Amino acid sequence: MNGFDFVELAGKRAESVVRLAQDLVRLPSRGGLDDYGPVLDRVELWLRERSLPYRRLYGPDAGCVGLLVEIEGGRPGSWWTLDACLDTAPFGDEEAWSFPPTAGDVVGGWLRGRGAADSKLAASVFCHVAEDVQRVSGRLAGGLSVLLDVDEHTGQFGGARAFLADPDARRPSGVMIGYPGLDDVVVGGRGLWRAVVTVHAPAGHSGSSKNVVSAVSRAARLVQLLDSAELPGADYRFPLPAKLSVTSIAGGSGWSVTPDRVDLNVDVRLTPALDGPAAAALVGDVVAQLDAQLPPPVPTEVVEVACWPPFRLGPDQEPAAAMFRSADVLGAGVKAKTAGPSNIGNLLAGHNVPATAGFGTRYEGLHGTDECARLTDLPLVHALYHRTVLDLLGAFRPA
């Protein structure tokens, strides 16, 4: 098949892809808020009707955190995974929407509703790619997994974690994540190191004649020190610099009491020049500087809550290379991108699994008001993933 054939076939399948995506958008599945059962049930019904092999994945609390479809080829080879989430961001202020967040309708060539862009349309595309692959699986090498996960927008990534921990799941040689966006394929991202920093001070009355450096004042000084900390810049290994942000400060109550404790959330975006241990050491040095300048009754505490490594695939590293080969065949002008925000690719990088994020349709209102996805992009997106998977599974190489 040439590039035109893939796009033409995807165009013929577009009505079916959109219909399933509409059904999914109409079923609210906000991460941590809604019952995921209905949206999982709808996908299961679609898979059963087409005799696609699937099973549920469960988290530590025995709750279902995703569906896993596995299509085995007729010859030995590597396994590859398509991943799209079925849960969504919250609706936010529903009064600000110009249509219901679960509309699931198509207006002016746009699929409308929460999850249309992130990532229920991609989930539908990947289900259809699995069906396409199953039809020719006997002549393919290795296999395809499709992970349709929930518990993603909570930040827990329960579906991906369950997939990686499942002893029966085929270990993927690479994962392609179905995030939206037509112009780029994300092949790397800064990692993250996060901690809660707790500063202490003697409590007191704000009207007391005794001068006391409060925990609020100590926290304010800590923010100044953190903001002025010197971080590595971009270099030949990674095109983005490290970044440190204080994202939350909590403590105190009312006006008459100077508090004895303030908690700060510190977020450090990692690069190869500043990894997790280096970030921990940097924050530790700043905390020591604070305690030396403004001695506390109890040393300032740093509790790490998350650490993901940065990642960046090389130009010839799969599955990114296969995506760019398909983009060339299909005439899609796609660029490689290293992202500032972290994504599930960082979690996978911690398990030595290379990952990409995007290519997907253009969109508006992602995680915001009036989310929608542009359906005119759908045939090209579907064609690229279909061709890329067949390429990775050896369809274009001699048996």
Side-chain angles (χ1 to χ4, degrees):
M1 294 174 66
N2 59 36
F4 176 78
D5 292 332
F6 279 100
V7 175
E8 183 179 37
L9 176 60
K12 293 177 180 178
R13 303 268 276 154
E15 182 178 353
S16 176
V17 173
V18 172
R19 188 163 55 247
L20 176 58
Q22 287 181 285
D23 289 347
L24 299 178
V25 171
R26 288 168 179 152
L27 297 169
S29 55
R30 293 166 293 176
L33 297 174
D34 294 315
D35 177 9
Y36 302 136
V39 74
L40 292 167
D41 290 344
R42 179 63 188 93
V43 176
E44 285 185 317
L45 175 62
W46 192 93
L47 296 170
R48 283 198 304 272
E49 289 175 343
R50 289 153 182 81
S51 300
L52 286 165
Y54 75 90
R55 58 190 173 88
R56 290 194 169 204
L57 297 174
Y58 295 91
D61 63 355
C64 181
V65 290
L67 300 174
L68 182 64
V69 183
E70 293 179 308
I71 310 295
E72 186 166 9
R75 295 180 284 127
S78 299
W79 279 70
W80 305 90
T81 298
L82 298 173
D83 171 39
C85 58
L86 292 172
D87 67 328
T88 73
F91 296 153
D93 181 6
E94 295 185 47
E95 295 298 322
W97 287 64
S98 64
F99 51 84
T102 56
D105 56 1
V106 176
V107 176
W110 293 81
L111 173 62
R112 307 194 308 173
R114 178 63 83 228
D118 184 14
S119 294
K120 291 180 175 180
L121 186 58
S124 181
V125 168
F126 290 171
C127 286
H128 285 76
V129 170
E131 185 182 20
D132 296 333
V133 168
Q134 181 173 245
R135 294 193 181 107
V136 296
S137 60
R139 63 185 181 89
L140 302 177
L144 171 67
S145 300
V146 176
L147 174 63
L148 304 170
D149 52 340
V150 293
D151 195 34
E152 196 262 10
H153 282 84
T154 62
Q156 301 300 314
F157 300 109
R161 293 181 188 278
F163 172 54
L164 292 168
D166 190 329
D168 296 323
R170 305 299 185 99
R171 184 76 170 185
S173 294
V175 175
M176 291 163 279
I177 304 162
Y179 290 153
L182 193 69
D183 298 326
D184 307 303
V185 172
V186 174
V187 298
R190 287 189 292 205
L192 60 82
W193 180 89
R194 289 174 175 165
V196 176
V197 180
T198 302
V199 300
H200 301 275
H205 195 293
S206 60
S208 172
S209 59
K210 183 179 180 181
N211 290 326
V212 174
V213 178
S214 74
V216 171
S217 297
R218 297 191 74 249
R221 179 56 180 153
L222 178 59
V223 172
Q224 292 177 328
L225 293 171
L226 288 170
D227 284 347
S228 62
E230 186 174 349
L231 301 174
D235 60 26
Y236 70 95
R237 295 171 295 174
F238 206 82
L240 297 173
K243 184 179 181 182
L244 186 154
S245 304
V246 177
T247 59
S248 173
I249 302 177
S253 178
W255 285 266
S256 63
V257 176
T258 56
D260 59 1
R261 170 180 176 149
V262 173
D263 296 314
L264 303 90
N265 288 355
V266 177
D267 178 283
V268 183
R269 297 301 164 131
L270 307 177
T271 69
L274 185 76
D275 61 10
L282 183 148
V283 172
D285 289 344
V286 173
V287 163
Q289 185 179 352
L290 171 73
D291 286 356
Q293 291 180 2
L294 301 174
V298 178
T300 301
E301 301 161 11
V302 180
V303 178
E304 180 180 312
V305 296
C307 185
W308 290 357
F311 76 100
R312 188 163 187 249
L313 306 190
D316 299 323
Q317 190 171 358
E318 304 291 13
M323 294 188 73
F324 289 116
R325 288 195 295 270
S326 291
D328 287 343
V329 170
L330 298 172
V334 181
K335 304 184 295 295
K337 179 181 179 180
T338 300
S342 303
N343 61 53
I344 201 171
N346 297 88
L347 172 65
L348 294 163
H351 292 264
N352 296 314
V353 177
T356 64
F359 170 81
T361 63
R362 281 170 283 189
Y363 61 89
E364 293 181 358
L366 186 75
H367 287 200
T369 303
D370 288 352
E371 181 177 343
C372 53
R374 186 168 179 171
L375 296 179
T376 52
D377 302 331
L378 182 59
L380 179 60
V381 171
H382 187 167
L384 186 140
Y385 281 107
H386 185 190
R387 190 192 183 282
T388 298
V389 168
L390 291 180
D391 183 351
L392 292 167
L393 297 178
F396 308 131
R397 298 191 295 271

